[in-house]
Every structure is written in C-alpha cells, then in structure tokens.
Amino acid sequence: AQKVTQAQTEISVVEKEDVTLDCVYETRDTTYYLFWYKQPPSGELVFLIRRNSFDEQNEISGRYSWNFQKSTSSFNFTITASQVVDSAVYFCAIRGDNQGGKLIFGQGTELSVKP
Amino acid sequence: NAGVTQTPKFQVLKTGQSMTLQCAQDMNHEYMSWYRQDPGMGLRLIHYSVGAGITDQGEVPNGYNVSRSTTEDFPLRLLSAAPSQTSVYFCASSYYTQGAGEKLFFGSGTQLSVL
C-alpha cells in the first residue's frame, strides 16, 4: 500500500519569501511515481509535476523546484519568491507500480501568501 | 475539447435518497477514478477503473457503487445517502506513458450535501 504524509497543514508567508512544502511517502514498490497538484481557491485541480522513482534529478520550472530524495522518501516542493497567486492548497500524491488510475494523495498543505 | 465532464456541479440530498454522479471523458483514456475531498483529509480514492468492464475499490468505497460499461463513462452511485457522504467529489481520467508515468485530468467537481 502507498501512503503520503504532508505534515504541514497550513503555511503562511509574506510575498517574495521562499517556501518549501514537505512531502514524505511510503511504498514497497521499486517503481513508483510521485506528483504534485495545486488547488487554487477556485477549486480545480492543476497538475504541476510527475516524477518516476528512477529519476532523482531535481527539477526547476520558473519559480518552482522539486527535490526528490529516495534516501529519505521525500519529494519536497519549493516556491521561490512567492506571490499572492501562489495561494492555494498543494497536494502530493503517489502511484505504485501497475496501479493505473490509483493515485494516493496526501492531506494537502494550504499555502497563504500575503502581500 | 471537453476533457472530463462531471455533472451535476451541486446537489442536495436527503438522508436515504439515491443518486448518480455522472462522469464522462472524451480523451479515450483507459483509467478513470473517483475521489472525495474533505477538509483536512486531502483527496481519498473511492473507486477506480483500468478499462471498460473493470473496476476496483479504492481507500473509501463503502456506500458507493461504480460501473464502466464504456471507455468514456464512469458513473458513481450513492445507494442510500448519508450525512457522512457530504463532500466534494472529483472524477479523473488518465493515461500511462512508459517512463513518464501517469497524468490525471480532473473534472471540475461536484459539491454534494446530504441533510
């Protein structure tokens, strides 16, 4: 079985601060996939990134970066120079090997960026 | 390009009533899933399907039924609604690519209240 823990329930920062959202996962599969989704106040779920277990390279996309460390079973998400538009709930998720359609999500972290 | 279409967007039921949440996708995706979102609980998987005629239980299947008679449609049935089923429901469809993994496309959600 897969499990994702996002220990930070709520984070509040001031605009332009950097912020890291933590994600710790559990799985017995050798092959698995990790994801981050964003849910802005409007409610839709927006895909941010997916990563397979064989690719531990960090990823950077604009102000967003992701740090995948198998040694600590973590897949943390950093927003650099945060903006008010980054305010949202962020979900980390995992999919095991041969588990099509079966993403397991963490509890989510609500990020509030204040001007 | 409609993507994933969920209906209705809002629904109020009385305890004991039954209803079906509709979900349709036009992307020919093999995988489809239903999630419920509750405050502090993240998204929890109810049921999922890996293809027409194949369904399986997720994390919280009790009180819900599904069927997948076609690739496009994946309705979720509440047999006898209970207040504990008050939630926001999301349908998702996805496809898998070797190496890159799976990418979920979510519907816009259904806000269900059971009185």
Side-chain angles (χ1 to χ4, degrees):
Chain A
Q2 332 294 329
K3 184 179 179 181
V4 174
T5 301
Q6 295 179 255
Q8 303 152 308
T9 304
E10 297 178 6
I11 299 176
S12 182
V13 299
V14 176
E15 206 170 19
K16 298 184 182 179
E17 284 186 19
D18 299 346
V19 58
T20 295
L21 309 182
D22 297 333
C23 172
V24 175
Y25 62 90
E26 297 176 29
T27 181
R28 293 182 180 178
D29 290 348
T30 303
T31 301
Y32 53 90
Y33 302 88
L34 298 166
F35 305 80
W36 277 94
Y37 280 84
K38 174 182 179 180
Q39 186 178 43
S42 53
E44 75 271 23
L45 287 152
V46 180
F47 168 82
L48 295 177
I49 190 171
R50 62 184 167 187
R51 174 72 59 188
N52 74 49
S53 53
F54 298 107
D55 184 359
E56 285 193 75
Q57 285 187 340
N58 290 336
E59 175 112 0
I60 298 175
S61 177
R63 296 183 297 106
Y64 296 171
S65 63
W66 290 269
N67 183 358
F68 176 27
Q69 292 195 339
K70 290 177 73 171
S71 61
T72 55
S73 297
S74 64
F75 187 43
N76 296 338
F77 173 33
T78 297
I79 301 174
T80 302
S82 60
Q83 300 176 2
V84 172
V85 293
D86 295 326
S87 296
V89 180
Y90 291 87
F91 293 100
C92 180
I94 187 170
R95 173 204 190 270
D97 197 16
N98 296 318
Q99 298 285 307
K102 192 177 178 182
L103 262 67
I104 303 300
F105 286 78
Q107 303 94 319
T109 296
E110 183 172 3
L111 173 65
S112 176
V113 181
K114 302 186 186 305
Chain B
N1 187 358
V4 179
T5 302
Q6 267 184 255
T7 56
K9 291 190 180 299
F10 302 95
Q11 183 71 51
V12 179
L13 294 177
K14 294 182 179 178
T15 297
Q17 287 186 317
S18 63
M19 80 157 295
T20 299
L21 305 185
Q22 301 291 345
C23 178
Q25 54 100 0
D26 61 358
M27 298 172 281
N28 200 34
H29 288 168
E30 53 185 328
Y31 305 127
M32 296 187 75
S33 336
W34 276 103
Y35 292 85
R36 60 177 288 174
Q37 182 177 12
D38 304 290
M41 305 290 287
L43 284 89
R44 292 182 292 170
L45 181 65
I46 304 172
H47 285 284
Y48 66 104
S49 169
V50 299
I54 307 171
T55 65
D56 204 349
Q57 296 181 350
E59 302 168 274
V60 288
N62 292 342
Y64 307 95
N65 275 0
V66 292
S67 60
R68 184 112 178 258
S69 56
T70 66
T71 299
E72 294 78 18
D73 299 301
F74 191 45
L76 178 72
R77 298 182 184 85
L78 282 70
L79 305 176
S80 178
S84 61
Q85 294 178 305
T86 293
S87 187
V88 178
Y89 292 84
F90 287 96
C91 177
S93 74
S94 57
Y95 66 93
Y96 175 77
T97 304
Q98 183 71 29
E102 190 166 344
K103 183 174 182 178
L104 263 65
F105 295 78
F106 283 92
S108 56
T110 297
Q111 174 75 59
L112 176 67
S113 296
V114 183
L115 307 177

